[in-house]
């Protein structure tokens, strides 16, 4: 039986060796698929358009003012995160403890009617899911790779407030 709960969440991503840091605080719907598998659906607020020194918006292919849909499939051994909904940029990450997973990014360009895909590898160093019977905290540590070049170490942290 599928059960769901509406919960406040905090999702953060930080790089331990690059100046990358992002935090989303919002409400999410937590679906319990079975005893150890959950889906979490949340809407990430849109990214504001960057502005120049005159305060005018600067167009960019990866910025959006519309919200983006994030879908996380969570278990104690595997996490899949998919972002979709703004029409310009989408991504899907697959992490599993101790293995190389795949991170895919899609960039859609309306003016040229083209789609561009970037595939990277990630190595999951640590995946910890805490909370019972519902998850309360997820911490995921991983390295991102392009061929043999490391693109940084990252920590994804998810707090689900009950």
């Amino acid at each position: 039986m599928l059960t769901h709960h509406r919960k406040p969440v905090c999702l953060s991503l930080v790089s331990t060796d690059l100046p990358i840091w992002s935090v989303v605080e919002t409400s999410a719907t937590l679906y319990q698929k079975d005893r150890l598998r959950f889906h979490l659906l949340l809407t990430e607020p849109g990214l504001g358009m960057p502005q120049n020194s005159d305060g005018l918006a600067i167009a960019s292919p990866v910025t959006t003012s519309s919200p983006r849909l994030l879908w996380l499939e969570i278990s104690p051994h595997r996490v899949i995160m998919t972002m979709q909904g703004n029409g310009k940029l989408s991504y899907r990450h697959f992490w599993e403890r101790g293995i190389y997973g795949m991170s895919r990014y899609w960039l859609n360009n309306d003016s040229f009617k083209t789609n561009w895909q970037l595939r990277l590898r990630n190595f999951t160093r640590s995946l910890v899911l805490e909370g019972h019977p519902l998850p309360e905290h997820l911490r995921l540590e991983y390295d991102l790779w392009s061929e043999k070049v490391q693109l940084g170490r990252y920590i994804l942290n998810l707090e689900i407030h009950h």
Side-chain angles (χ1 to χ4, degrees), residues 2 9 21-22 28 32 43 47-48 64 66 72 77 84 91 95-96 98 101-102 106-107 116 127-128 134-135 141 162:
L2 181 67
V9 298
W21 178 74
S22 176
Q32 186 168 4
T43 301
L47 303 172
T64 177
S66 62
L72 284 90
H77 308 289
Q84 61 186 22
Y91 56 76
W95 297 285
E96 189 168 347
M102 184 68 66
W106 293 271
L107 182 62
W116 180 75
L127 191 161
V128 177
L134 298 175
E141 298 179 25
H162 296 285

Side-chain angles (χ1 to χ4, degrees), residues 92-118:
R92 183 174 181 95
H93 300 282
F94 175 88
W95 297 285
E96 189 168 347
R97 186 182 305 134
I99 69 163
Y100 282 96
M102 184 68 66
S103 292
R104 290 185 179 162
Y105 300 85
W106 293 271
L107 182 62
N108 300 316
N109 186 332
D110 294 335
S111 61
F112 297 112
K113 304 289 188 233
T114 59
N115 295 326
W116 180 75
Q117 183 181 155
L118 173 66

Side-chain angles (χ1 to χ4, degrees), residues 79-161:
V79 174
I80 300 171
M81 182 169 69
T82 305
M83 188 279 290
Q84 61 186 22
N86 73 3
K88 301 273 187 223
L89 174 69
S90 300
Y91 56 76
R92 183 174 181 95
H93 300 282
F94 175 88
W95 297 285
E96 189 168 347
R97 186 182 305 134
I99 69 163
Y100 282 96
M102 184 68 66
S103 292
R104 290 185 179 162
Y105 300 85
W106 293 271
L107 182 62
N108 300 316
N109 186 332
D110 294 335
S111 61
F112 297 112
K113 304 289 188 233
T114 59
N115 295 326
W116 180 75
Q117 183 181 155
L118 173 66
R119 289 195 286 178
L120 303 173
R121 291 180 307 137
N122 59 61
F123 180 77
T124 305
R125 297 181 162 278
S126 172
L127 191 161
V128 177
L129 181 62
E130 299 172 337
H132 184 77
L134 298 175
E136 296 174 3
H137 183 249
L138 170 70
R139 182 179 172 98
L140 180 66
E141 298 179 25
Y142 67 98
D143 299 340
L144 193 60
W145 293 85
S146 174
E147 297 294 326
K148 295 182 181 183
V149 177
Q150 185 180 13
L151 302 175
R153 286 190 163 171
Y154 300 87
I155 299 171
L156 180 82
N157 197 51
L158 172 66
E159 295 175 32
I160 303 171
H161 305 284

Side-chain angles (χ1 to χ4, degrees), residues 17-43:
D17 51 5
L18 296 169
I20 297 173
W21 178 74
S22 176
V23 176
V24 174
E25 292 185 26
T26 189
S27 291
T29 303
L30 179 66
Y31 297 92
Q32 186 168 4
K33 302 296 282 181
D34 60 36
R35 191 173 72 82
L36 296 175
R37 291 183 330 140
F38 302 89
H39 288 185
L40 185 75
L41 182 62
L42 62 105
T43 301

